[in-house]
Amino acid sequence: MVLCQYDTKSGEWSRIVSPNEPIARRNYAGVMTTSSQTIFWGGDSDMLTGLPQDNFIWRSDIAIWDAANGWIPSISPYSGMARTNATITQISDTNGRLVILGGSVITNSSWDDRVTNFPLASMADIILYDPRTQLWENVVASGNIPSERKHHTATLHPDGRTIILFGGEAWNNSTGPYLLNDLNLLDTTTWTWRSYSNTSGTALYRSNHTSIVIGHQMFVIAGSNATDKAVDIQILELDSWTWTYQSVAIPAPSRWANIGGVSGLVGIIVGCVVLVTASLLGFFWWWSFRQRRQKLAKDAIKETIDNNSNRNNNNTSNAFARPGTPKRSKAAQESTITPTPVPSWGFYRGSNMPLSAPSPASPVISYTSELLYQNHANDDGLPYWEAESYYPTR
C-alpha cells in the first residue's frame, strides 16, 4: 500500500511515508472523499502483494488513508461476500455515502483469483457505505439494469446524485471476455437505472480505463481497447451527451474569483473610493460647523463679560443682582450673603450661588455670576468686604 503523489507544478513524484500501513491489496475499489480521505475496499491480497505462494485473502474490509492523520485502522468490515474489480463512488447526499457497483463476487473464499472462478455481480445489487456512521447497507436498484461487468468506471455527474457508468469487461460462457462501450445512468435518489443510447457519436470500447469529470465534460483516459492497450482520450459532453475528442478549456480561477472576479474587484474599489470621499466631506462639514459654533460661543461669552464689567463700573452695588433683576441695596445684598472674614486679603466665592456650565446647544453663559468678596482695609485699619461679580470662562 505504497502511496505516492505527483506535484503538477514541479513535475516531481514523491513517496508518502506513513506508519501503520495495512496489508497490501490489489483489484480493490478506491475513492478520495470530500473529507480528504482515500478509502480502499475489496480486492485481494496474494503472492503478488507479498503473501506466501498460494495464499489468498479476499478483502471485505476498508483501508483508510487520511491526509492529516495517516493510515486509520479498518473498522466494521462488510458482512456480505467480498468483491474484486468493483467501483466505489461518493455521492453528494447528507452523509456523503459511498456506492459500490459491479465487480466479481467472491462466492468461495477458498478459491484463488481466476477469471472463470467467480460470477460478476448484478448491477442491481448495490452496496452502500456511510463513512460517518460506518454502517453498511444493501440496495436493490430497478429500471433498465445494465449488464454485469468489471473494470468499468462509475463517475459522479455534476448534479451530485447521478452516477455515470461507462464501459468495462463482461463475460460470455461461449466466447469468453468482451469489452463494453455502453453508457448508463443511475439516479441515486430513486436507485433507478436508465440506458443512455441516444448519444451523438460512438464511444470506443474500453476497460481498465479512468474516467473523470472536469466541468461539464467526462474524460475517458487510456485503459484497454479491443486489441491493445489504449493511450488516447475520448470526451463525453454532459450537456449534449455527445462524444468528442475536443476538450473545452477551463480558465484558471482568478485570484479575485471569490469576490466576483475583476468586475467584483472594480466594484469594491469604486465603493471604497465613494465611502472615503463621503467620509472626508462629512468630516470637513462637521469641523467647519464645530468651528462656527465655538466662535459664536466665545463671542457670546466675551459680550456677556463686557456687559457685566460695564455694569460693575457704573454701580458696584449691582454685583449681587443677576442681569435683568431688580437692583438691591448693598445692605440688602450683604444681609443675604455674608462672607466669612479672614485675616488676609483675597477673593472668596459665595457659597449659595450655583453654577451651570454652558452647553453646545446654548453656548451663551446663562448662569448667575459668582460673587467674589474682596477684603479691604479702611483708613483706620479695620477690614470691610466689597462684593464683585465674576463670570468664569470655563
Side-chain angles (χ1 to χ4, degrees):
M1 301 298 286
V2 174
L3 297 178
C4 298
Q5 63 183 2
Y6 178 73
D7 191 320
T8 58
K9 292 184 177 180
S10 65
E12 296 179 350
W13 284 94
S14 61
R15 178 177 175 178
I16 301 174
V17 179
S18 180
N20 303 319
E21 285 185 1
I23 298 175
R25 67 177 74 189
R26 65 189 183 99
N27 298 321
Y28 55 80
V31 63
M32 176 176 285
T33 69
T34 54
S35 58
S36 298
Q37 290 184 339
T38 302
I39 294 182
F40 307 88
W41 181 81
D44 62 277
S45 300
D46 53 22
M47 64 180 182
L48 297 179
T49 64
L51 294 183
Q53 190 174 2
D54 297 330
N55 283 9
F56 283 86
I57 300 177
W58 301 107
R59 315 307 300 259
S60 60
D61 61 331
I62 279 182
I64 303 174
W65 187 80
D66 187 278
N69 303 306
W71 287 103
I72 299 176
S74 176
I75 301 175
S76 181
Y78 177 60
S79 59
M81 289 183 287
R83 295 189 190 184
T84 63
N85 299 309
T87 58
I88 184 169
T89 309
Q90 184 177 37
I91 59 177
S92 300
D93 63 356
T94 303
N95 285 5
R97 290 181 297 175
L98 307 179
V99 181
I100 298 172
L101 298 174
S104 298
V105 181
I106 309 305
T107 55
N108 190 331
S109 60
S110 65
W111 292 349
D112 60 8
D113 184 14
R114 297 183 185 272
V115 175
T116 58
N117 277 352
F118 304 104
L120 296 175
S122 169
M123 300 305 291
D125 183 8
I126 299 174
I127 302 173
L128 297 181
Y129 175 71
D130 190 325
R132 293 190 179 183
T133 63
Q134 299 179 358
L135 297 178
W136 295 90
E137 183 181 357
N138 290 95
V139 174
V140 177
S142 60
N144 191 3
I145 310 298
S147 61
E148 298 86 352
R149 68 194 66 200
K150 62 181 178 179
H151 303 311
H152 53 281
T153 57
T155 312
L156 186 66
H157 189 277
D159 64 11
R161 61 180 177 81
T162 303
I163 294 178
I164 306 171
L165 175 70
F166 173 72
E169 178 184 318
W171 176 264
N172 185 292
N173 291 330
S174 300
T175 59
Y178 62 96
L179 303 186
L180 301 169
N181 71 338
D182 58 337
L183 185 69
N184 299 273
L185 305 179
L186 174 63
D187 186 340
T188 60
T189 59
T190 61
W191 301 109
T192 303
W193 282 104
R194 64 189 176 100
S195 176
Y196 213 103
S197 58
N198 58 340
T199 57
S200 175
T202 302
L204 300 177
Y205 290 87
R206 196 60 48 92
S207 69
N208 292 291
H209 52 285
T210 296
S211 296
I212 181 174
V213 171
I214 303 176
H216 282 265
Q217 291 184 316
M218 186 178 77
F219 289 69
V220 179
I221 305 169
S224 301
N225 57 26
T227 58
D228 204 351
K229 301 298 181 182
V231 294
D232 61 340
I233 298 176
Q234 54 185 340
I235 301 170
L236 176 64
E237 298 281 354
L238 299 180
D239 293 330
S240 61
W241 299 101
T242 302
W243 286 101
T244 178
Y245 289 91
Q246 182 65 41
S247 65
V248 176
I250 299 177
S254 168
R255 68 178 62 184
W256 316 111
N258 58 342
I259 58 173
V262 177
S263 58
L265 177 63
V266 172
I268 292 176
I269 293 175
V270 172
C272 290
V273 170
V274 172
L275 179 62
V276 171
T277 303
S279 300
L280 290 175
L281 291 176
F283 173 78
F284 288 135
W285 178 86
W286 172 81
W287 179 260
S288 301
F289 179 76
R290 181 174 179 272
Q291 293 296 103
R292 291 195 300 269
R293 293 287 300 270
Q294 288 181 347
K295 186 176 183 304
L296 291 174
K298 290 179 180 179
D299 292 344
I301 292 173
K302 184 176 182 302
E303 181 180 359
T304 302
I305 293 175
D306 291 343
N307 292 338
N308 287 327
S309 298
N310 293 335
R311 285 196 297 270
N312 289 338
N313 291 336
N314 294 334
N315 189 354
T316 305
S317 62
N318 293 336
F320 285 91
R322 293 178 58 185
T325 59
K327 298 180 180 179
R328 297 188 300 167
S329 65
K330 185 173 183 179
Q333 296 167 10
E334 292 180 347
S335 65
T336 303
I337 302 175
T338 305
T340 303
V342 295
S344 60
W345 184 93
F347 288 89
Y348 297 90
R349 181 179 299 174
S351 60
N352 65 340
M353 306 300 285
L355 297 178
S356 172
S359 65
S362 179
V364 179
I365 295 178
S366 59
Y367 48 76
T368 304
S369 62
E370 297 186 31
L371 299 181
L372 303 178
Y373 302 94
Q374 186 174 6
N375 188 358
H376 292 275
N378 291 325
D379 294 338
D380 57 0
L382 296 176
Y384 76 95
W385 293 90
E386 180 178 342
E388 295 182 356
S389 62
Y390 169 70
Y391 290 83
T393 59
R394 61 182 177 81

